[in-house]
Amino acid sequence: MSGTESLATSERLFHIMADNILDGLAIIEGDRVVYVNSRLCEITGYSRDELLNLDNFSIIAPELRQNFKRDFGRHDLSRMSEEKEFEVRKKDGTRVIIHNRHSHLLDESGTNILYHCEIITDITDRKQAEENLVALNLELEKRVDDRTAALKETNEQLRRRERELEAQAKSLEDLNAALRVLLQKGEHDKNELEEGTVLNVQELVLPYLDRLLQQC
């Protein structure tokens, strides 16, 4: 196999592998996109030709673009790769959130960037799930707080009712004590009345009867 044929075979294998990975792939030379795989087309909604002819920053959400200008000249060897999450705008205008893993291919001197390699994963569903989970947790926390507040209020009402019942029980106890005093006094007054009646009979009625009997 000639060198040309070997190169063509390697290129076909590369395309087959690149088009069958689950992530989007873009290779940038200078400031021009020179390769994209099928998955990146699915993520962005653009065809391969459209992506190759786009400015490599044009699909990034406009308000975020200024943070993603690459250093296409000399390279900081301490930053061979980086990862970021940001929004890109699809062809139909909708936005997706991507996780972007960026790395460089350097020239032989190791100081200049030849190619940028971007591995792009659509994490929109995951982010939405995370947001939904956060919202659900906040809702659950609110329900717990509301339930706790309701239980606290119920406990306060029960304590107030308990104090009211204790006060009513004390009032009934005092009333019962007063009734017992009145009953005792009534019994005492009854006995005194009975004793007074007997004494009156003995002192007033019986002598009078005795005199009547003596006259007969």
Side-chain angles (χ1 to χ4, degrees), residues 70-178:
R70 301 295 188 200
D71 175 11
F72 294 113
R74 296 187 60 81
H75 173 61
D76 181 358
L77 294 178
S78 66
R79 298 183 63 186
M80 284 298 295
S81 63
E82 62 180 330
E83 298 187 18
K84 290 185 178 181
E85 293 180 1
F86 54 92
E87 287 187 351
V88 298
R89 188 172 55 187
K90 298 180 68 171
K91 183 178 179 179
D92 62 7
T94 60
R95 293 190 177 194
V96 295
I97 304 172
I98 66 168
H99 178 249
N100 186 77
R101 297 181 294 282
H102 171 80
S103 59
H104 308 306
L105 177 64
L106 305 179
D107 62 10
E108 292 181 356
S109 69
T111 57
N112 294 299
I113 300 170
L114 293 179
Y115 297 99
H116 296 270
C117 181
E118 312 284 347
I119 305 295
I120 298 164
T121 305
D122 183 353
I123 59 172
T124 307
D125 291 342
R126 191 194 79 193
K127 283 295 186 180
Q128 185 61 55
E130 290 175 355
E131 291 178 5
N132 291 342
L133 183 59
V134 170
L136 179 60
N137 286 334
L138 291 175
E139 176 63 22
L140 289 176
E141 288 176 4
K142 182 179 183 303
R143 290 185 182 182
V144 169
D145 290 343
D146 291 346
R147 182 60 176 166
T148 300
L151 287 173
K152 183 178 179 181
E153 177 61 25
T154 300
N155 288 334
E156 288 294 332
Q157 291 177 357
L158 288 174
R159 282 193 285 270
R160 287 196 295 269
R161 183 58 178 162
E162 183 178 354
R163 290 193 292 268
E164 291 172 358
L165 291 174
E166 289 175 353
Q168 291 177 1
K170 182 66 169 57
S171 296
L172 288 174
E173 184 178 343
D174 293 343
L175 179 59
N176 286 334

Side-chain angles (χ1 to χ4, degrees), residues 19 38-39 53 67 80 83 87 94 99 120 183 200:
D19 282 335
S38 299
R39 178 58 181 149
N53 286 289
N67 298 322
M80 284 298 295
E83 298 187 18
E87 287 187 351
T94 60
H99 178 249
I120 298 164
L183 287 174
N200 288 334

Side-chain angles (χ1 to χ4, degrees), residues 201-216:
V201 170
Q202 289 175 344
E203 292 179 352
L204 299 174
V205 177
L206 290 181
Y208 180 74
L209 288 176
D210 285 341
R211 287 196 297 273
L212 286 177
L213 291 174
Q214 290 175 1
Q215 292 176 3
C216 291

